[in-house]
Amino acid sequence: MGWLNAVVQGLLLGGLYALFATGLSLMFGVMRIVNLAHGDLAVVASFLALALVGGTGLPLWIVLVVTVPLFAVLGYLTQRVLLQRSLSAGPLATLLVTFGLSIVLQNVLLELFSADTRTLDGGSFATGSFELSGSISVGYLALATFLLACAALIGIQAFLSRTGLGRMLRASSDDRETASLMGADSRHVYGVATAIAFATVALAGLMFAMRSSFDPSIGPSRLIFAFEAVVIGGLGSLWGTLLGGMVLGVTQSLGAQIDPALTLLAGHLVFLAVLAFRPQGLLAGRTA
Amino acid sequence: MTLLSIRDLTVHHGQLRAVDGLGLELERGEVLAIIGANGAGKSTLLRALAGLNLPTSGSVHFAGRDITRLPAHRRVAAGIALVPEGRRLFRSLTVEENLLTGAYRKRPGPWTLARVYELFPWMPGRRTQNAAQLSGGEQQSVAIGRALLSNPDLLLIDELSLGLAPVIVRRVYEVLPGIVGAGTTALLVEQDVAQAMRVADRVHCLLEGRSVLQGRPRDLTAEQVEHAYFGIGPVREGRD
Amino acid sequence: MTISETLTGRAAAALRVSRAGRSSKVSAVVMAAGAALLAALPFLVFSTVTDTLVNLFVLIALASMWNLLAGFGGLVSVGQQAYIGIGAYTVIALADLGVQPYLAVPLAALTCAVFAVPTSWLAFRLRGDYFAVGTWVIAEVYRLVVVRIDSVGGGSGKGLTGLSGIDQTLRGALTYWVALALALATIAGCYLLLRGRLGLSLMAVRDEETAAGAAGIDVGRAKRLVYLVAAAGCGAAGGVITISSLSVNPDSIFSVQWSAYMIFIVVIGGIGFIEGPLLGALIFFGLQQLLADYGSWYLVLLGAVGIAVALWLPGGLWGLVRGRTGLSLFPVGYLVRRPDGG
């Protein structure tokens, strides 16, 4: 029976969705910015990795290890140079700026790389799998992605709860002004939040690129997955985001079992249902 | 030794001139209370000292250094800490995490987490509780502790008594001598005049952004304070 | 007379409150003349010109609707393409049932308003920026649902029936007039809507929502009304797009690209002013024609300019003009003057 397998695949996919969603959730929690270019950043990371692999001939895993920190730096710079300005430019500015960024990124990628779909070749690792039991096979890549996503989430959670800077990030999202009274430079705090967001979405994008194809225009759909995971899980909790990601992943997987064309729609409908009947999300409420 | 020197300070709150040409000096080790009616400019003054409202004109010198336009997040390192009006604890953090945010800048000094817990003996038992679950008086104590952990030379306290029962207010103020004794100077804004007169070494009364009366509590008569507070009748400076 | 009557009477005598300044009255005459000229164009110029202008009118209509939503209603939607799509497919479906496509356009508007009612109930459960992404998701859902309906062409789209019998030149002219009527209707609609009580309510809400609610304004109802009107307008535009291109394709009609156009036209032209979308559409249109050979770079330029304007010129270009000259072609505010003209 493929149903159990579908659930397992969905759970593993959920880790990836949660990783996508973390950055979105963090930026909204700390800065009240919904980054509409969030998905496109993942695609940029994929194309960057593709170009690096093609241009330098380095093995994929080295490129991955280089790209993620690079995106962290890019995130910090983007916040200090662009987003910080938008925060003081009026209520619509952040939305408009990130939307503009999304359009710019998509079309630059389109001009540079054309609309052809690509994949990141993960080699035999990406396509290999092992049997968990009779009907359930788990891909190495899928498992690695899930474990990596969980590790990242645990790491971020530890950073937020155990370190002074992490604590300040949480404090800034509660009350930016009082956090500045404690000596926190909000520009730096926001920069760190954006850096984490960019790094996680780059990682997620690269993992995704290895398991399915990508092209310049799929950014928005990634944004939508991230967004749905956050809403389903509930704002304000990383574990809620993981749960939301897994619910979305399982829903899509089960939908695909019924009819492959239903994959996306199934996820959207569950999202709408949560929105209709439990808008605060499944794991709602702010927790320390 | 003069720790804080304010000269001809004007601070706007929106379009309103909340602090109007104010002058004030604060000596190291003393407790200065600023009293006045609502809208007299007291909180705006503290916010300007904390760097949250930048003054329009005038100057603020702290330990000999001009800090008039120093951004808020640099004032902690300079030695100024504000206990904001309404406590303003971080709602998603625990008591202990709230306290630790005060130590973000790791300024050296006598105040440590352990010492703050000595000052407020009930606190260690509630350290893992979410700050939002505490009562008003408890939150006020945490807010003070949080400010202390930045080891300030100057502690600014804004409207401590706001929203608290008088007996609680009195109990919270009991820690003040211990704080000052450890080397911190305190500048407090207080609505409760009697309470202010009880704890302060000196008092300034503000009216419409200006200081209209100042002196030691024991040198000021109730009538003088009343007149200054409401802006009625002749106002005279107390003996200093 | 009561005291309040005396006081208000005296106040009324001391001040003159009017809606329109001199500039608005002059411009009203000029615009009426302009509209008449535009209507006469099919008789004056080649059909290539009028065909191109159809696209401009559609952009003006869409941008006006987005401006109504975001600039006046405070609702930033990135999902209006849902209604463009529904409107387009309504025309296709009605044409298949034998309805004259030109008449189907107002029906498309109505259909969209109907769909907007339950949609708004869902979408309004999200606040602020999350509302924006929510509308985007909803548009995606509509697309995914429509693609499954084989009778309107499924994933590959469908051609428009019902116009094949008409002479090509006449068809071009009729499409042009419908598009012109759409643009004029959306502008006029915005103007009339915002001049009235709804406009005052919305501006109060935009400035200070809690206070507006406390003053008795039904904030939810005002926003919902704006949402329905915008849905109807976008639906009509979708219908006109279908009539103009004689077919519909789900991926392009439900594309978020439409939102990109709307948003940037309004942001660059001037958000919160009725004149903004007009100015922005003209600029965008010009850009599109100028950079037609450069592929997607015009979109990159559009995005970059949009970012720059959002950061440094929040009132857009019209805001700049208005700030410098006080010009107002569509006055929705109030002018308070002393009788001596001060």
Side-chain angles (χ1 to χ4, degrees), chain B residues 55-67:
Chain B
T56 325
S57 65
S59 73
V60 178
H61 282 79
F62 180 70
R65 179 181 162 197
D66 185 348
I67 61 158

Side-chain angles (χ1 to χ4, degrees), chain C residues 6-318:
Chain C
T6 323
L7 286 173
T8 42
R10 235 183 262 167
L15 298 166
R16 240 183 344 141
V17 181
S18 64
R19 301 311 301 266
R22 211 180 315 136
S23 64
S24 315
K25 292 177 184 139
V26 167
S27 63
V29 173
V30 171
M31 283 193 292
L37 178 63
L38 284 173
L41 266 186
F43 302 111
L44 302 172
V45 298
F46 286 119
S47 58
T48 44
V49 177
T50 53
D51 287 346
T52 320
L53 285 177
V54 167
N55 293 331
L56 176 63
F57 295 153
V58 165
L59 287 173
I60 289 175
L62 289 175
S64 294
M65 291 293 96
W66 197 86
N67 189 28
L68 181 67
L69 262 181
F72 291 98
L75 297 163
V76 178
S77 163
V78 186
Q80 289 311 95
Q81 61 270 21
Y83 301 111
I84 301 176
I86 295 175
Y89 272 94
T90 306
V91 167
I92 293 274
L94 288 177
D96 282 350
L97 292 173
V99 178
Q100 163 59 253
Y102 292 116
L103 293 178
V105 171
L107 292 173
L110 199 60
T111 312
C112 285
V114 169
F115 272 97
V117 175
T119 310
S120 68
W121 179 78
L122 266 177
F124 283 13
R125 289 170 101 71
L126 292 165
R127 300 248 120 241
D129 292 5
Y130 271 178
F131 169 80
V133 190
T135 58
W136 195 343
V137 177
I138 290 171
E140 276 298 295
V141 173
Y142 276 119
R143 178 180 69 84
L144 288 169
V145 168
V146 164
V147 156
R148 299 182 68 74
I149 304 176
D150 290 321
S151 57
V152 285
S156 39
K158 197 165 201 272
L160 177 67
T161 59
L163 286 182
S164 41
I166 307 179
D167 161 62
Q168 199 180 347
T169 323
L170 180 61
R171 191 179 64 209
L174 286 172
T175 306
Y176 173 84
W177 280 320
V178 170
L180 177 61
L182 173 71
L184 292 175
T186 49
I187 296 174
C190 283
Y191 182 53
L192 292 172
L193 206 58
L194 294 169
R195 250 178 94 92
R197 257 177 88 173
L198 180 66
L200 203 52
S201 305
L202 287 176
M203 283 189 267
V205 170
R206 181 177 64 185
D207 285 340
E208 182 53 72
E209 189 165 324
T210 332
I217 296 174
D218 190 340
V219 175
R221 203 169 136 260
K223 290 191 175 184
R224 185 151 286 138
L225 184 59
V226 166
Y227 187 79
L228 293 185
V229 170
C234 290
V240 172
I241 292 169
T242 308
I243 289 172
S244 166
S245 56
L246 297 175
S247 68
V248 73
N249 172 280
D251 288 330
S252 72
I253 202 82
F254 280 105
S255 164
V256 77
Q257 199 85 289
W258 290 111
S259 277
Y261 294 162
M262 286 187 266
I263 292 175
F264 287 111
I265 288 175
V266 174
V267 168
I268 293 173
I271 197 168
F273 305 105
I274 296 186
E275 302 88 338
L278 274 176
L279 187 55
L282 285 168
I283 294 172
F284 173 78
F285 198 63
L287 261 182
Q288 215 178 17
Q289 302 300 313
L290 260 175
L291 300 173
D293 296 329
Y294 293 92
S296 310
W297 288 114
Y298 87 93
L299 280 171
V300 176
L301 184 64
L302 190 70
V305 173
I307 292 175
V309 170
L311 286 177
W312 288 296
L313 211 59
L317 287 172
W318 183 259

